[in-house]
Amino acid sequence: PAPPPHLNPSSCLLLAVCSSSAMGSKSSRPVNQEGALEPGKNLNKAQLECFRLVCDRVGKIDYRTGCFRYEMSSELQALAKKDPVSVDECIAALKQVEAIGMRWTKRNLTSFAAIVGAMTNLKFFTLTSSTKPGTEGAEALAGALGNMKGLKVLEMNGFHLTEEGVAFLAAALEKLSEVEMLNMATCDLNDAAAAGLAKALEKMPRIKVLHLEENELHAPAALALSSALAKMSGIKEFTVGSNNMGTAGGKHLAAALCKMKKLEMLDISHNELGADGKEGAEAIAHALKKMKGLKILDMSDNDLGHEAAAALAPALAKIHWIKELNLENNQLGEQGAKVLAKSLTGMTGLAKLKLSLNEMGQGGALALAPAFAALPGLQVLELEFNLLSKDGVSAMTKSFEKMTSLSQLNLRGNALGRAGMESLVFVLQKMTNLKKLNLQENLLEKGGAASLAVALSGMPWLQRLDLGCNNLRKQGADELGQVLIGCTALTELDIASNALLERHDGKARRGSLFGGKSRSHSAEPGTAGRKGSLVQMLTGASPKPAEGSPRPGGESEPRRKSMFGFNKGAAEHSNSSRNSARKGSMFNMGAPRALPRRGSVTAEQYQEAIQSAGGKLLATLEHMDWLQVLNLSDNELGKEGLEIMADALDKLTNLRELHLDRNGVTKDSIQFIAGPLSNMTNMEVLMLQKNLIGNAGAKALVKPLEGLTMIRSLDLSENGLEASGKNALDPVLSKMQMLEEVHL
């Protein structure tokens, strides 16, 4: 969340103290017992070290976009270079800081806490930790927090605490009466710690946002917290999901929720509220009726069943102003879908609805179809894994036509097959606002792919397409390859686990998802290499982008999202090259090169590979240089496929995510990835796990990785890397300032 608007972004501080101990080492230096800052003296060695770590990460942050750049102020820059530094100079500089985001380190605990504690004018404090700070660390932090009387926002997400540590922090929290937001998600809070936390919360009357999700707060904790929560009449956002409170905990929580009449967002997911019958749902339903301002409700993963759903339905019908509703994974079944349908009819303002994993079946689809038609403002609909089948989806097609605002549709895992896809073809072409479509795990195969290709030929506005695990194989990939070039707004494409590249005898490559033998997929006589044949045959024209269709280069979507998709402050990065003329784009395709630019395959072998299904689709990607996310996981591309991909990867310079895990990449074929990787300067996520890269392959990646300054997540696990390979990567990884997650 953004800090209060009166904060000056230029006085914000970003700390990323990534010492060896902060990155997971069990060893740490002895705590300096003389860590207190004494005016009139100089910083001692430990204090000066901590101060320089802080100064090294001073930055300016624009909280409107989430972007930051390291730009040390001249004052701090001069101080960081001095030795000695007086305590008075240090304190004067740190008092200017109003906002920090830091990673806790066990290194020099007392000195580090003293430096942080000197920032007495802090308003915005975000704290994370990759190691457990322990009781000693929590005690030191509590001492620092005690100095921050004007603190408005305190985030400690992932700061794993002991029971004793919680006690120290709770005592410090009692002094922070100005705090408006408190985030203690994933802090290992348990029932024993709840009493101390409750006492602190009672003395924090200004809290508007409280996050306690992913802890161990069971029914006794819910009881201990309920009295404090009931006094928070001004709270607007409360998340307590993933705590397994059970039915008893749900009842205690509901008593407090009845008092939170200004609540706008409530997350009580993953709490097994329906595990012991409908009593928990009934208690929550009673509280929901009193929440006149509730806009977002998440009750997913609560094992409600149709009886609890029936108890909840009347309350849902009364909060018809709600904007977002999540009831995923609740075993609603056909009966639950029927009672829910009646409640949904009146929610005319509903924008997001998540009903995945409820096994509603064809009967549930028939019941919900009229309700969906009554939701003209619905923008996001998720129905994955509901056993809808072709008949259930067919029943919903008329409703989809009326949902003109729908921008995201998730039908994953519903066994649509060819028949179900055929029923959607012309409906999808009428959904002109649809930006994201998920059809993973739907048994589309070649027949469904052919129908989808027809639909895509009339959907130039689509931005994301998920087709993983559909056994597309040769002809299915052929059909899609012919029309994807016309999808000029498509920036995210997932075609993982589809056995894209097959041997020329018609058998899938060994080790692919579907494995073993398959039917021969040789093309019919006269059809080989015919571009746009399916679309021309059915529509009479080759696929072309609609006039005025969106092109890459506009506003990008936020990439870090909360439960319902709100921006969580991820950096947005523009790329002027997206608007430049594209070489080899769909308007200037030209013929494939006679030979790849790398390797030793002959011209005949290359052309033969292009004519195979995977080869044709992979070659098509060369002309889709607007792609930002590409997932080709688990397709066993091997050297042949990667060699074909090399030219395409050279052109895909706008990629920010690339998934090539489980593709048989070896130390020899890594060259086809390493070369193009150097030009992918926007890359944020690179997945190469479960391949055969080895130490030599890891070393080949060192130079390309040096240019990936925006990388956030890198996975090279299960590649047979030994000490030499990991040691070769260490220097470049240590320089990646944006890196959040790495697996070797």
Side-chain angles (χ1 to χ4, degrees):
H6 64 272
L7 289 188
N8 180 8
S10 65
S11 63
C12 294
L13 173 68
L14 183 75
L15 299 179
V17 186
C18 299
S19 65
S20 60
S21 57
M23 295 304 290
S25 174
K26 293 183 178 180
S27 61
S28 60
R29 296 187 179 184
V31 176
N32 183 354
Q33 299 300 324
E34 299 179 355
L37 300 180
E38 300 181 46
K41 294 187 177 182
N42 293 328
L43 297 178
N44 62 35
K45 184 178 180 180
Q47 292 168 344
L48 182 59
E49 181 184 15
C50 292
F51 179 67
R52 284 174 173 167
L53 285 172
V54 169
C55 291
D56 188 50
R57 291 294 183 262
V58 173
K60 291 185 177 180
I61 305 174
D62 185 346
Y63 282 93
R64 293 169 298 177
T65 63
C67 295
F68 66 85
R69 64 183 186 275
Y70 294 115
E71 188 175 306
M72 194 184 304
S73 68
S74 57
E75 180 183 5
L76 283 176
Q77 191 173 30
L79 281 177
K81 293 179 180 179
K82 287 180 63 176
D83 188 3
V85 176
S86 75
V87 169
D88 296 317
E89 288 177 312
C90 171
I91 292 176
L94 294 177
K95 280 185 177 179
Q96 304 303 312
V97 178
E98 289 188 337
I100 66 173
M102 59 175 283
R103 177 171 293 175
W104 180 258
T105 173
K106 285 185 174 181
R107 193 174 184 179
N108 297 324
L109 284 176
T110 310
S111 297
F112 190 73
I115 295 296
V116 173
M119 302 176 194
T120 54
N121 289 316
L122 272 180
K123 302 291 190 302
F124 183 83
F125 190 12
T126 299
L127 183 68
T128 60
S129 176
S130 56
T131 60
K132 292 187 177 182
T135 302
E136 187 178 31
E139 183 179 10
L141 176 61
L145 287 174
N147 297 329
M148 305 173 188
K149 306 296 184 183
L151 198 63
K152 298 283 187 183
V153 175
L154 176 59
E155 293 194 85
M156 298 175 62
N157 190 354
F159 197 73
H160 300 279
L161 299 166
T162 62
E163 290 182 22
E164 296 82 1
V166 174
F168 282 118
L169 285 172
L173 291 176
E174 292 182 24
K175 302 175 184 178
L176 304 180
S177 58
E178 298 296 316
V179 169
E180 296 178 3
M181 175 185 174
L182 177 62
N183 184 345
M184 295 188 73
T186 322
C187 281
D188 293 342
L189 304 178
N190 56 27
D191 295 342
L197 179 60
K199 183 180 177 182
L201 291 175
E202 288 182 353
K203 296 184 179 181
M204 304 173 76
R206 297 180 182 273
I207 286 186
K208 296 179 181 178
V209 178
L210 179 61
H211 287 234
L212 297 174
E213 68 267 24
E214 296 186 34
N215 284 296
E216 295 295 330
L217 301 173
H218 304 140
L223 178 60
L225 290 169
S226 60
S227 59
L229 295 172
K231 296 177 182 178
M232 295 181 177
S233 57
I235 193 168
K236 293 186 176 181
E237 182 174 324
F238 180 42
T239 65
V240 69
S242 300
N243 275 292
N244 296 326
M245 290 186 172
T247 299
K251 290 180 181 179
H252 297 317
L253 189 61
L257 292 175
C258 288
K259 305 291 184 180
M260 299 180 181
K261 297 182 180 180
K262 294 184 180 180
L263 204 61
E264 296 179 3
M265 188 272 197
L266 175 62
D267 175 4
I268 49 176
S269 60
H270 295 266
N271 273 301
E272 300 183 3
L273 299 180
D276 298 322
K278 61 181 181 179
E279 293 181 2
E282 286 176 338
I284 297 296
H286 179 67
L288 290 176
K289 293 177 182 178
K290 299 185 178 183
M291 297 179 186
K292 304 298 182 182
L294 192 65
K295 297 177 181 178
I296 300 173
L297 175 62
D298 186 352
M299 291 188 67
S300 59
D301 293 274
N302 270 302
D303 199 18
L304 296 180
H306 68 272
E307 290 186 359
L312 193 62
L316 293 177
K318 289 194 174 182
I319 53 174
H320 53 81
W321 49 80
I322 198 168
K323 299 293 183 183
E324 302 176 14
L325 178 62
N326 188 345
L327 292 173
E328 290 180 347
N329 199 17
N330 271 302
Q331 301 181 32
L332 298 183
E334 181 177 333
Q335 296 183 54
K338 289 178 179 178
V339 298
L340 179 62
K342 298 178 181 179
S343 302
L344 290 175
T345 304
M347 296 182 180
T348 54
L350 197 63
K352 296 184 180 182
L353 178 60
K354 299 185 178 183
L355 296 174
S356 299
L357 297 158
N358 275 301
E359 301 179 1
M360 295 183 294
Q362 180 183 347
L366 289 169
L368 286 169
F372 291 162
L375 303 174
L378 197 65
Q379 298 173 19
V380 176
L381 178 60
E382 299 199 2
L383 295 169
E384 65 179 65
F385 295 109
N386 268 302
L387 308 178
L388 299 182
S389 73
K390 60 179 183 179
D391 296 322
V393 171
S394 297
M396 290 184 173
T397 52
K398 291 185 179 180
S399 299
F400 290 158
E401 288 184 21
K402 297 179 180 179
M403 298 163 70
T404 55
S405 299
L406 202 64
S407 62
Q408 297 181 37
L409 177 60
N410 186 346
L411 294 173
R412 177 184 180 183
N414 278 296
L416 302 184
R418 175 176 181 174
M421 194 64 242
E422 285 177 350
S423 68
L424 284 172
V425 170
F426 298 108
V427 174
L428 290 173
Q429 291 184 342
K430 294 178 182 179
M431 301 170 72
T432 55
N433 284 313
L434 192 64
K435 300 295 188 295
K436 298 181 180 181
L437 177 62
N438 191 336
L439 294 171
Q440 293 176 326
E441 300 179 69
N442 267 300
L443 306 176
L444 296 184
E445 299 185 329
K446 62 177 183 179
S451 298
L452 176 60
V454 178
L456 291 175
S457 68
M459 299 176 67
W461 50 80
L462 196 65
Q463 296 177 3
R464 173 170 177 168
L465 178 61
D466 293 283
L467 293 173
C469 300
N470 270 298
N471 198 13
L472 298 180
R473 292 183 178 256
K474 182 176 181 178
Q475 289 187 355
D478 265 344
E479 301 290 4
L480 291 174
Q482 296 168 19
V483 297
L484 284 175
I485 297 176
C487 298
T488 55
L490 192 68
T491 58
E492 301 182 34
L493 177 62
D494 178 358
I495 44 179
S497 302
N498 273 298
L500 295 181
L501 200 66
E502 299 178 86
R503 298 206 304 260
H504 304 304
D505 57 5
K507 298 178 181 179
R509 291 181 62 91
R510 189 179 52 150
S512 70
L513 175 71
F514 304 99
K517 297 182 178 180
S518 64
R519 297 186 303 272
S520 175
H521 294 297
S522 57
E524 294 179 9
T527 63
R530 189 173 62 193
K531 293 185 179 180
S533 59
L534 175 76
V535 177
Q536 291 174 348
M537 182 170 57
L538 296 178
T539 65
S542 298
K544 293 182 179 180
E547 193 171 356
S549 61
R551 300 292 296 239
E555 292 185 2
S556 59
E557 297 242 352
R559 291 185 285 278
R560 283 189 199 166
K561 299 180 179 180
S562 67
M563 171 180 64
F564 289 102
F566 295 133
N567 190 355
K568 298 297 285 187
E572 302 285 349
H573 308 290
S574 61
N575 184 350
S576 59
S577 66
R578 295 174 191 166
N579 296 320
S580 60
R582 297 191 179 100
K583 268 188 180 179
S585 68
M586 64 169 293
F587 301 107
N588 183 28
M589 285 178 53
R593 290 181 178 84
L595 273 174
R597 292 190 294 176
R598 304 174 188 78
S600 57
V601 297
T602 65
E604 291 76 15
Q605 289 173 327
Y606 183 60
Q607 292 295 342
E608 184 180 4
I610 288 293
Q611 295 303 319
S612 72
K616 194 164 196 175
L617 180 59
L618 298 179
T620 297
L621 296 175
E622 179 180 349
H623 308 291
M624 298 177 66
D625 58 346
W626 51 84
L627 278 178
Q628 296 179 20
V629 177
L630 177 60
N631 188 348
L632 288 167
S633 300
D634 193 25
N635 275 301
E636 283 297 319
L637 298 178
K639 182 179 179 181
E640 181 184 18
L642 291 169
E643 200 156 8
I644 296 168
M645 279 287 294
D647 284 324
L649 290 176
D650 268 339
K651 300 289 183 63
L652 301 180
T653 56
N654 288 317
L655 280 182
R656 55 181 174 83
E657 286 190 29
L658 177 60
H659 301 252
L660 285 171
D661 47 286
R662 294 166 291 173
N663 270 299
V665 184
T666 66
K667 64 179 182 179
D668 297 320
S669 57
I670 191 67
Q671 61 175 311
F672 304 122
I673 301 171
L677 203 59
S678 301
N679 299 320
M680 299 179 185
T681 55
N682 292 327
M683 186 65 67
E684 297 179 15
V685 178
L686 179 60
M687 299 285 112
L688 289 171
Q689 69 271 25
K690 297 184 179 180
N691 281 298
L692 303 168
I693 293 174
N695 296 324
K699 293 174 183 177
L701 285 173
V702 170
K703 188 171 181 60
L705 288 175
E706 289 176 352
L708 305 186
T709 58
M710 307 308 298
I711 198 93
R712 291 187 292 106
S713 181
L714 174 65
D715 197 339
L716 293 171
S717 60
E718 299 186 53
N719 266 294
L721 298 191
E722 298 173 339
S724 62
K726 294 178 181 180
N727 291 338
L729 291 167
D730 278 345
V732 67
L733 295 180
S734 65
K735 296 178 182 179
M736 293 179 172
Q737 296 178 346
M738 300 290 289
L739 192 63
E740 298 174 358
E741 186 177 18
V742 59
H743 298 281
L744 300 180

